[in-house]
Amino acid sequence: MSPKFSFSLILLCLISVLSAAQDSAVTRGGAGAATVELWCVAKNNAEDAALQSAIDWACGPGGASCGPIQSGGPCYDASDIRRTASFAFNDYFLKHGMTDDSCNFANSAALTSLNPSHNGCKFPSSLSRSSGNFNGSTTTTGLRQPSEDLSSSSSAISRWIFVSMAINLLSATLLLL
């Protein structure tokens, strides 16, 4: 085996190990699958009147804890009914079994694995229910890390930069051969 080939093989192994180490931040579930946190949020195409009606029901007879979306609360935003509805929908979803039926609200809501938390408003997820003890079902994926906040994309950017650098380094090594 030539020294150049050995060096390339060692470099490839090193890149593989670094890539695997970076991906180890993903929470592992059964059979090595990554578990995904779920949130119940308002659909983008839902009518404002339907969202307001659903908020009124969720925060009233539905029993959702809506204190954080009241005036002065950390999630209060009178200008964005979707964020307000999403908080109420998510609280109801977590308290009522985390099923598709508990995240419907007359077809105004949907489940997502994208964390809707914003600014100082943190949305609890399906995995944070019961003080960290998850009792519901999970969805498996290999595409996103859990709890990745939508308001920052630094994790995706750093991963992209890392992969680009690794490819460039490997290409340069192959050119030297």
Side-chain angles (χ1 to χ4, degrees):
M1 195 180 313
S2 75
K4 289 182 179 180
F5 179 75
S6 297
F7 176 74
S8 297
L9 188 59
I10 291 171
L11 184 61
L12 183 60
C13 289
L14 179 61
I15 290 170
S16 297
V17 167
L18 290 174
S19 179
Q22 184 177 12
D23 289 340
S24 70
V26 176
T27 306
R28 296 289 172 191
T35 58
V36 175
E37 293 176 283
L38 296 175
W39 292 267
C40 179
V41 297
K43 288 183 177 179
N44 289 333
N45 63 350
E47 298 286 330
D48 288 357
L51 292 176
Q52 187 61 58
S53 176
I55 291 168
D56 293 343
W57 184 85
C59 294
S65 298
C66 295
I69 58 174
Q70 302 300 319
S71 182
C75 299
Y76 177 72
D77 186 353
S79 66
D80 194 337
I81 194 164
R82 277 170 187 62
R83 283 185 174 177
T84 302
S86 292
F87 190 89
F89 294 174
N90 191 61
D91 190 79
Y92 180 88
F93 168 70
L94 294 176
K95 289 181 176 179
H96 293 88
M98 295 183 292
T99 65
D100 287 337
D101 289 338
S102 64
C103 182
N104 187 309
F105 297 94
N107 206 25
S108 294
L111 292 175
T112 184
S113 61
L114 302 175
N115 188 341
S117 297
H118 53 91
N119 303 329
C121 179
K122 300 300 177 198
F123 283 55
S125 74
S126 60
L127 293 180
S128 63
R129 183 174 176 243
S130 302
S131 303
N133 296 322
F134 176 65
N135 298 326
S137 61
T138 61
T139 303
T140 59
T141 184
L143 301 177
R144 293 189 65 83
Q145 290 187 15
S147 295
E148 191 171 330
D149 194 333
L150 288 179
S151 63
S152 74
S153 59
S154 61
S155 177
I157 292 171
S158 65
R159 179 174 291 128
W160 183 84
I161 290 171
F162 175 80
V163 169
S164 297
M165 289 176 55
I167 290 171
N168 285 333
L169 185 59
L170 183 59
S171 299
T173 303
L174 293 175
L175 287 176
L176 291 175
L177 298 177

